[in-house]
Structures are given as C-alpha cells and as structure tokens.
C-alpha cells in the first residue's frame, strides 16, 4: 500500500525516496523547477478554478470545500488514473504551495487517496 504524505513545496526538499508530485493547478511563485525536484506536476487533479476561488483558503469554508473537492475527485478520470499510477510507488509526497498547512487541497486529496 502506498504511503502518502503532505509537504509545502517551500519547505526544504526531503531526502527520502518518495515520489514527489505537485498537486496545485498553478505553479508556486519563486520556486524553480530544479528546486521543486518533482517527479510529476499533476494539475488536472487540483480543484477547479471555480472551487479554488470560492474557497479562497477560508477555514470556515473548509468542510464544504472538502465535500465539493471530493466530489470533483470522484468524477475526475485524471484522479482515478493518478491514484492507480501512484499505487505502484511505496511513498508519494503531495506538494502544495498554500501558506495554510491545516486547510488546503492536499489534505483533502490525501484523505481521498487513502479511502
């Protein structure tokens, strides 16, 4: 079973051997491709622009955001394909750019992947 973890892309690059995936729709400011050290950038599984803008990282909206994003993931063929591909990895690090470490899409995606 694949082990999933979450990390801010602005934190130092982990020295573990996990498969590193950026799960944001937009490239994070100030991060070079070299510094990101990604194995994959999967923007197709990020929340839609409409949902992302509605949420606007408002903690009070997080429960509803989580519900809506899970529904998007359930109906997104790219998410199912990513999950299938990542199951071949022993560990996957989901990278995100948001400042908020408690209320972001990577948390929801990790829960969806583990369910």
């Amino acid at each position: 079973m694949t082990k999933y973890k979450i990390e801010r892309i602005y934190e130092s690059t982990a020295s573990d051997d996990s498969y590193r995936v950026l799960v944001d729709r937009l490239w994070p400011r100030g991060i070079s491709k070299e510094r990101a050290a990604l194995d994959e950038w999967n923007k197709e599984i990020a929340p839609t622009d409409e949902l992302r803008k509605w949420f606007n990282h408002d903690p009070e909206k997080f429960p509803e955001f989580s519900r809506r994003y899970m529904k998007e993931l359930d109906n997104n063929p790219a998410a199912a394909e990513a999950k299938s591909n990542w199951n071949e990895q022993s560990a996957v690090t989901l990278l995100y750019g948001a400042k908020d470490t408690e209320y972001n899409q990577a948390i929801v995606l990790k829960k969806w992947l583990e369910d």
Side-chain angles (χ1 to χ4, degrees):
M1 182 163 165
T2 302
K3 180 183 174 198
Y4 291 97
K5 67 180 186 175
I6 300 170
E7 194 174 287
R8 252 187 112 224
I9 197 159
Y10 296 99
E11 303 302 322
S12 61
T13 305
S15 59
D16 64 18
D17 61 352
S18 70
Y19 188 80
R20 294 172 50 85
V21 183
L22 176 62
V23 295
D24 284 352
R25 191 164 295 277
L26 306 173
W27 187 264
R29 287 184 185 158
I31 297 288
S32 68
K33 294 198 189 295
E34 293 77 27
R35 181 173 167 207
L38 299 178
D39 293 298
E40 180 181 345
W41 177 18
N42 195 324
K43 54 187 163 187
E44 291 80 23
I45 63 169
T48 59
D49 284 333
E50 179 182 64
L51 180 58
R52 180 178 57 80
K53 289 174 183 175
W54 171 83
F55 172 46
N56 198 29
H57 297 282
D58 179 350
E60 290 182 12
K61 291 182 178 177
F62 191 71
E64 179 62 16
F65 167 79
S66 298
R67 187 190 69 73
R68 290 183 188 184
Y69 182 35
M70 287 235 183
K71 188 174 180 182
E72 284 185 0
L73 290 166
D74 287 341
N75 295 310
N76 184 345
E81 182 180 345
K83 186 175 186 177
S84 175
N85 291 342
W86 296 342
N87 279 340
E88 298 171 11
Q89 304 294 329
S90 60
V92 174
T93 301
L94 305 172
L95 298 159
Y96 67 95
K99 291 178 185 172
D100 194 328
T101 58
E102 292 182 54
Y103 304 102
N104 64 66
Q105 85 277 5
I107 291 168
V108 179
L109 178 58
K110 180 178 183 278
K111 183 174 181 349
W112 183 83
L113 289 164
E114 292 175 339
D115 284 347

